[in-house]
Amino acid sequence: MTTRLDAPQKVTGRATYGADHQFPGMVYGYVVLSTIAHGEIGAVDTGAAMSVPGVLGVYSPLDPLNLRTANSPLFGETWVPMQDKEVTYYGQPIGFVVAETFEQARDAAALVEISYRERPALTSLEEGLAAAEEAPAARDGSPSTLEVLEDGVESFEDALAASQVVVEATYRTATQNHAAMEPHSAVAVWENGELTVYSGNQGSHLQVMELASALELDQEAVRAVNPFVGGAFGGKGRTSAPAFLAAAASIALGRPVKAALTREQVFTATAGRAATVQKMTLGAEPDGTLVALRHDSWCSTDTNRSFVEPTSHGTSREWYATRNLALTQKMVPLNIPPTTFMRAPGEAPGSFALESAMDELAVALDMDPIELRLRNNSTAPPGKDLQWSSKHLDECFRVGADRFGWADRSPDGRTDGDWLVGLGTATAMFPALRFPATVGVTLLADETAEVATSGADPGTGLLTVLSLVGGESLDIAPERITPKLGDSVLPPGGLSGGSTATASAGTAIMIAAAKVIDDLLAAASAPGAPFDGEEVTYADGRVHADGRSMTYGEVLRALGRPSISANGSSAPGEELTKHSFSSFGAQFCEVRVHKWTREARVSRMLGVFDAGRVINEKTARSQLMGGMIWGVSAALHEGLEIEANGRLANGDFAGYLLPVNADIPEVDVRFVEYPDTLHNAVGAKGLGEIGTVGMAAAVANAVYNATGVRVRHIPITIEDLLD
C-alpha cells in the first residue's frame, strides 16, 4: 500500500490551496446575498458602502460587472451572478464589494441597502408536490417515465395484482450541503490581457471554458489552477460565484482580486443536494421473487430547474431482476438555492428508499434480507440485453455476512444492558463510468518521468494513482514518476467526478506510455543513434538489443535530448454497446438505541465492495470509509431546514449537524477484487461514491431491527424513536 504523495504537504500545512495565493496589490471581494426568496431588486443604495475607507467598487445588477451567462460542453448553461434583477431564492448572490482589505469589504457589504419588489415564494417540497413537473430526459436519453412489462402483461397494475405479497411505502430524504472543508473561493489575476484564476474545482479545463464564456475571452487567454482542492463531492464541478466575480473585478480594476465565501454563505451561494419524496411499491411471490417494482420519485429543484436528482432511474432501473418495472421521476421547482451533483447523486437518496423497501419486503416475507436480495440478483438491468461486464455482489454479501456475524442476527434484535442492538444491511451499486481524458507522459534524461493531466484531486488520491499507473506502464518504480495535476495548461484531464478519474486517466496513461516507448525505441534505433539499425525492445526502463541495454536516460543523453514526450487520450468506446457496467457492494451496520433516551448510535460498519482492480488499497479504503461515514451522516445527522421565507434555519456548522469521531467508532472495508478489463484497460471501476450508497438504508434497517420502529425519512431523530 502506498501513502498518498500529497499527504506530507497537507498535514504540515504546506499545500497551497486557491485562497492561499498572494500577489502584490491584491484586493478583496465580499459577496452580498439577497434577503428575500422571490422578487425583483428595485433599488440599490451604495452611498454608505462607497464611503467606507478602502472601498474600490460596489457592483450589483444595477451597476454590474462585465459578465454573461456561461456555457460549457459538459454542463451546458451555467448560472452566473448578477445577470438581472430577479431574485429566486434567499441567499442568492446579488452584489459584490471590493476593497483594499477583507474587513473593509465585509463591513461595506453590510452597508449596501437593497429594496425589493417582493413576490410570494414557494419553499416547501411537500407544499409543492401538487405542482410537480415531469423531469426532463436523463443524460442517456431515457424518459422520466419508464415502464418494462413481461410478455402477456398489459399494465403494471395487472402485475401488481398478480403479486401475492405487496409492500408499499413512501420515503423522504432531506436537503443537504456538500460541507467541504475548503469554502468556495478564488484569486483572480488579470495581467497583459491574460487571466489566471486560482480556485478549488473539479476540472480546470471546464472552469476555463466557463470563465472564457462568461467574460467573452478566448480560452487561450484564461488559465485555471487548482493543484489542491479541499473537498468537492460534486459541489465544485461548476465555476463558483466567487470565481466569476473575482475574475470580472480583476479585469475591471486591473488588480488581483481574492474572494472567498464565508461558511454561512456557502450554504446558499453554492448548490446542494435536493430533498426527495419517493414512493416504493414492491410485489413478490412467497419465495421472494420480485414480480413488480414501482418507484415514483419527486425531488426539489430551483426555479431554473438546474438539476434533477435521478433517484428512481439511478437505482430501481438497474438493481434487481424484476419481471415488471415502472419508474417516474418528477421535479418540484421551488424558491430555494440551486441543486446539483452531490456524492452519489441519485443513488444515495434513491438507495435509502429502495433498500428500506426491500427490508420491509423481507419482513413481510419472514425472509432473511440478504437471501431476498440475492434471490433477485440481476444479471443485467431489467429490460436491457447488455449483461454486467462483471458482478460479484453475491460474494460481497457472503464475505460480509461471515465477517460481520450476520448468522447471529435475530429478527427482533437483541438487548445489551440499556441498549437495544440491531443489524441492518443494504445493497450498494454505482455506475462504472469513464470520461474523456488526455494524459501526457514525458521521459526525462535524468531517469525520471512526468505524468501530467489537468484533472483534479479533491482528496481522492488521483495524484498517487498517476504515479502508480505511470510507473507500471513505463516499467519503472513509481518513485521515479513526478505526477502533475490541477492546471489547465496541462493536457485536458476532464472532470474529477462520477467516480471516473482512475479509469479515465489510468487508461490514457497506458496509451501515452505505449506511445512514448514506441517513440523512444524509434529514436534509439535511428541512424546515428546508440542502437542504429538494430531491433530494439523495452523493459525495466531500459532499451535492449542483442545482449546489451541502456536506460532510457542514457539513450536520451546520448541523443542530446533532455526528454521525449507523448500524449494519450481515452474515452468510452464500443464497450458501451456490449455490456452494462457498475461497481457493487454490500453494506452492513450495527446500531445501538438507548432504551430510555432513544439515542441512536452506530457501533460498527462493514462494507464489502466489488470495484474491479484496486490500484492503491490505502487510498481506496479511505475513500470508501469516507463514503460510509457520509451514509451515517445522512441517516442520523444531516438535513437543511428551510423556513417559510426561504431562509436556512441551520445554514452553518453550528446547526447543520455532521458526524465527529465519537459518532463513528468502527469502520471496516473489504474488497472482492476482480479486475474488469472489459470496462477499461486498467481494470479499475469507480469507488469514490459507492461507499455512500446504501449505508443510510442499512442504518435505518438496523434501527428497525433494534426497536421495531420503521422510520421512513432521514435524518432519523430521537423523536422518531419515542414510544
Side-chain angles (χ1 to χ4, degrees), residues 100 156 191 195 204 209 226 269 302 346 352 373 386 389 395 402 425 480 483 502 526 548 572 596:
E100 295 285 351
F156 183 86
E191 190 173 29
L195 175 71
S204 57
M209 293 175 184
N226 63 325
D302 61 305
F352 171 70
R373 287 170 170 82
L386 302 182
S389 58
E395 188 172 343
D402 181 64
T425 190
R480 292 166 59 185
T502 296
R548 65 189 183 96
W596 312 117

Side-chain angles (χ1 to χ4, degrees), residues 27-52:
V27 295
Y28 298 81
Y30 194 92
V31 179
V32 178
L33 306 182
S34 67
T35 55
I36 66 168
H38 189 205
E40 183 181 10
I41 296 172
V44 179
D45 185 348
T46 63
M50 286 297 298
S51 68
V52 173

Side-chain angles (χ1 to χ4, degrees), residues 36 269 340 393 601:
I36 66 168
T340 192
L393 179 60
R601 300 193 65 85

